[in-house]
């Protein structure tokens, strides 16, 4: 599928889902929505099988490969697309294919005093602090080819849930799933991880 045709229709089919461009990135569009849009084109006598067939043909026409989405080295933010190596911001456009966008804006003058103060209180070890910050960075960049898992182990009331809150706020609830570890061996459940930046699981 060419970049020109993608710009014209502003949608594509990836990992079994239609995605449509809105507000700087491509959001999943339910197949039922696509079906309702197809019905008027087929006329009053449209049959269910016809809608299904047209939808399948559309999926083939706008299909893209996973490596065509979320290009390496960039981070989509509220105020533009950041190049991670330089920090430079450019405009988000339909030609730049991203399936997510963080609800935060880049601000090079921002200070994280409360973040650092809290880390110093609950994790005074600077090496552990750097590890936590590194993990947060991995989470917001899905193109990194690392299998990322962080296990938080400790007694009650040791602020483990605080890290959950931070991570969820960072990536946004729309980019978060909550499968338990046991769910990963269940049929079809791992499919719920598709398109998510983060999975939070509480195990006791």
């Amino acid at each position: 599928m060419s970049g020109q045709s993608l710009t014209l229709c502003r949608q594509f089919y990836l990992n079994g889902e239609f995605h449509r461009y809105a507000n700087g990135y491509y959001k999943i569009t339910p197949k039922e929505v696509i079906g309702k849009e197809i019905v008027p084109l087929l006329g009053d006598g449209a049959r269910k099988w016809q809608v299904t067939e047209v939808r399948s043909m559309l999926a083939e026409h706008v299909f893209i490969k996973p490596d065509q989405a979320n290009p390496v080295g960039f981070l989509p933010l509220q105020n533009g697309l950041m190049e991670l190596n330089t920090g430079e911001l450019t405009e988000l456009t339909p030609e730049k294919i991203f399936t997510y966008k963080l609800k935060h804006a880049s601000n090079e003058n921002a200070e994280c005093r409360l973040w650092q103060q809290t880390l110093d209180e609950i994790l005074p070890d600077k090496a552990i602090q750097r590890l936590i910050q590194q993990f947060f960075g991995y989470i917001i960049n899905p193109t990194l080819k690392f299998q990322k898992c962080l296990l938080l182990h400790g007694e009650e009331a040791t602020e483990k849930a605080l890290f959950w809150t931070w991570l969820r706020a960072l990536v946004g609830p729309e980019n978060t799933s909550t499968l338990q570890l046991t769910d990963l061996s269940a049929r079809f459940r791992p499919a719920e991880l598709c398109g998510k930046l983060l999975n939070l699981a509480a195990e006791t």
Side-chain angles (χ1 to χ4, degrees), residues 48-111:
K48 185 176 181 179
W49 67 266
Q50 292 175 313
V51 174
T52 301
E53 185 171 334
V54 172
R55 189 167 54 208
S56 296
M57 293 174 64
L58 176 62
E60 292 180 8
H61 179 67
V62 298
F63 170 81
I64 67 170
K65 298 178 180 179
D67 60 5
Q68 293 177 262
N70 303 318
V72 175
F74 296 91
L75 185 64
L77 300 167
Q78 282 296 103
N79 58 339
L81 182 64
M82 174 184 284
E83 184 174 353
L84 295 177
N85 286 335
T86 64
E88 180 183 0
L89 285 176
T90 56
E91 184 181 0
L92 287 163
T93 66
E95 292 85 359
K96 299 169 182 175
I97 306 174
F98 287 90
T99 57
Y100 73 101
K101 183 176 72 172
L102 299 186
K103 293 183 177 180
H104 309 287
S106 172
N107 181 359
E108 62 181 11
N109 297 318
E111 296 184 2

Side-chain angles (χ1 to χ4, degrees), residues 75-203:
L75 185 64
L77 300 167
Q78 282 296 103
N79 58 339
L81 182 64
M82 174 184 284
E83 184 174 353
L84 295 177
N85 286 335
T86 64
E88 180 183 0
L89 285 176
T90 56
E91 184 181 0
L92 287 163
T93 66
E95 292 85 359
K96 299 169 182 175
I97 306 174
F98 287 90
T99 57
Y100 73 101
K101 183 176 72 172
L102 299 186
K103 293 183 177 180
H104 309 287
S106 172
N107 181 359
E108 62 181 11
N109 297 318
E111 296 184 2
C112 305
R113 295 179 181 177
L114 181 58
W115 159 267
Q116 189 59 57
Q117 178 184 339
T118 306
L119 281 181
D120 288 340
E121 290 176 359
I122 63 178
L123 287 175
D125 188 323
K126 294 297 183 181
I128 299 299
Q129 289 186 16
R130 288 192 294 270
L131 177 63
I132 292 295
Q133 292 174 318
Q134 183 180 33
F135 182 79
F136 277 39
Y138 286 161
I139 291 298
I140 62 175
N141 189 356
T143 57
L144 290 174
K145 303 303 181 182
F146 298 116
Q147 303 298 321
K148 305 172 286 292
C149 178
L150 176 66
L151 300 178
L152 300 177
H153 176 72
E155 301 294 333
E156 294 184 1
T158 53
E159 307 298 349
K160 296 187 298 299
L162 182 60
F163 287 94
W164 282 42
T165 302
W166 283 342
L167 281 168
R168 189 177 178 87
L170 177 64
V171 306
E174 69 280 4
N175 295 315
T176 304
S177 58
T178 55
L179 290 183
Q180 301 301 308
L181 296 182
T182 53
D183 293 330
L184 299 180
S185 61
R187 190 179 185 186
F188 303 126
R189 294 302 303 277
E192 298 176 29
L193 299 174
C194 184
K196 304 299 183 182
L197 300 179
L198 171 70
N199 184 74
L200 295 174
E203 298 289 338

